[in-house]
Amino acid sequence: MRLVVQGATLSHAHLAHIHALLSAPRGVQFTQVGERSYYLPAQASLPDNVKDFCTAEKLDITLVSDKHTLAKIKLCVMDMDSTLITIECIDEIADMHGIKPQIAEITEAAMRGELDFAESLRKRVALLKGLDESALKRVIDERLKLSPGAVEWINTCKQHNIKTMLVSGGFDFFANHVQNLLGLDYAEANQLEIIEGKLTGNILGDIVDAQAKADKLNRVRLMLGLETSQVIAIGDGANDLKMMAEATAGIAYHAKPIVQAQATYSLNFSGLDGVIHLLDTTV
């Protein structure tokens, strides 16, 4: 395994201190893989004092299996809200309707795994009944922003012939926009019912919940003729856990504690370009 450390504030002094805490042999040195990203090869453990130091310094550090590299990955499946983009779209739609606090509270409970996702989504969408369709476009125009490093990560996927898939428990109005913006290969999300320019408070078709996310990952994986060992998944909420479990590595991105506890790797301070450095072993 290799020890990967990265972060906007990472310095040589940090690296020297981490090296000393690990009592690593002098001949084993950090290799730079990004402007603020390094790895230390041939590591077997990550002591708590090293983790605590990095957390205090707002640095991401993790042990990465040598089998997880850009060269071996062929499909990356990602959540959208609070992962590929910085917002929860339904919360921002609610803000247009003057009910953001009520909906955000349900969203947070669902993302922490305290509420069934499908049930929570129906409750939230029902509260949007009567909202003008133009509010969706306003969210895109005024509030939707890509997460830091998203463009760099997707461009890296393209360079390494890694197929990219967005699977969202949000809405296709936004998922299709993000797909076009980033040039993703696939996008799946829920469809809001809209009649005469107004949201009805209903969702059309089956809800894209945690199991649906996992199923859609496997459907595309099989369609591409890939093994689980060639797939990674990135998410932040409890409804991403089943999807992440179907991949060789599940990456928690600025995620809820329940997700970090079950993920293969976590990024808490880096942008999505941090995924590049987790998997990059080139110099």
Side-chain angles (χ1 to χ4, degrees):
M1 301 186 81
R2 59 191 183 275
L3 188 74
V4 179
V5 58
Q6 55 186 317
T9 63
L10 182 62
S11 66
H12 289 293
H14 286 132
L15 294 175
H17 187 65
I18 293 168
H19 199 278
L21 289 175
L22 291 168
S23 300
R26 294 187 64 181
V28 180
Q29 298 297 324
F30 278 100
T31 297
Q32 186 170 12
V33 287
E35 184 178 359
R36 292 287 187 272
S37 305
Y38 291 76
Y39 77 83
L40 192 66
Q43 300 301 301
S45 63
L46 177 54
D48 286 341
N49 61 340
V50 177
K51 288 190 284 187
D52 292 344
F53 170 74
C54 288
T55 298
E57 296 296 314
K58 296 189 179 339
L59 301 173
D60 286 313
I61 189 165
T62 190
L63 282 170
V64 180
S65 170
D66 290 333
K67 68 181 181 181
H68 294 151
T69 65
L70 289 171
K72 295 177 181 177
I73 302 303
K74 298 302 176 188
L75 173 64
C76 175
V77 182
M78 297 159 284
D79 176 47
M80 179 176 68
D81 295 62
S82 298
T83 300
L84 271 175
I85 62 176
T86 60
I87 62 171
E88 292 286 334
C89 289
I90 193 167
D91 292 356
E92 302 309 316
I93 299 170
D95 200 26
M96 304 287 183
H97 208 32
I99 56 170
K100 184 173 182 176
Q102 298 95 305
I103 283 190
E105 184 178 351
I106 301 173
T107 300
E108 279 295 307
M111 297 303 282
R112 292 192 300 264
E114 297 169 4
L115 287 177
D116 173 75
F117 179 80
E119 178 188 356
S120 74
L121 186 63
R122 289 191 183 95
K123 285 183 178 180
R124 287 175 286 169
V125 172
L127 292 172
L128 300 176
K129 183 178 180 179
L131 184 65
D132 195 279
E133 181 182 12
S134 62
L136 306 182
K137 184 65 164 58
R138 282 186 60 200
V139 169
I140 286 178
D141 292 341
E142 300 174 15
R143 306 190 183 190
L144 191 150
K145 297 184 185 304
L146 296 173
S147 291
V151 171
E152 291 83 352
W153 166 238
I154 298 303
N155 286 343
T156 296
C157 286
K158 293 174 182 177
Q159 292 164 11
H160 287 81
N161 296 314
I162 299 171
K163 295 293 185 182
T164 52
M165 181 180 185
L166 179 163
V167 182
S168 176
F171 309 118
D172 59 357
F173 188 91
F174 305 105
N176 294 339
H177 173 78
V178 173
Q179 180 183 19
N180 292 332
L181 197 61
L182 289 171
L184 306 177
D185 295 295
Y186 311 97
E188 299 272 2
N190 295 301
Q191 184 179 0
L192 290 168
E193 183 180 54
I194 300 172
I195 297 178
E196 296 181 355
K198 301 285 186 181
L199 275 65
T200 68
N202 297 320
I203 299 170
L204 298 174
D206 295 333
I207 287 180
V208 180
D209 59 6
Q211 187 57 54
K213 285 190 171 192
D215 293 343
K216 290 177 185 297
L217 177 154
N218 281 319
R219 178 178 58 79
V220 171
R221 176 182 66 78
L222 292 170
M223 181 182 73
L224 295 173
L226 302 178
E227 301 294 330
T228 299
S229 61
Q230 297 173 293
V231 182
I232 62 170
I234 307 172
D236 72 300
N239 63 317
D240 297 316
L241 286 171
K242 289 186 178 181
M243 171 184 81
M244 292 163 69
E246 293 296 325
T248 186
I251 301 172
Y253 178 73
H254 295 230
K256 302 295 183 289
I258 189 175
V259 182
Q260 293 191 43
Q262 297 182 47
T264 315
Y265 311 119
S266 292
L267 292 174
N268 292 318
F269 307 110
S270 307
L272 277 172
D273 52 331
V275 181
I276 302 170
H277 310 309
L278 283 181
L279 304 175
D280 191 1
T281 55
T282 59
V283 180

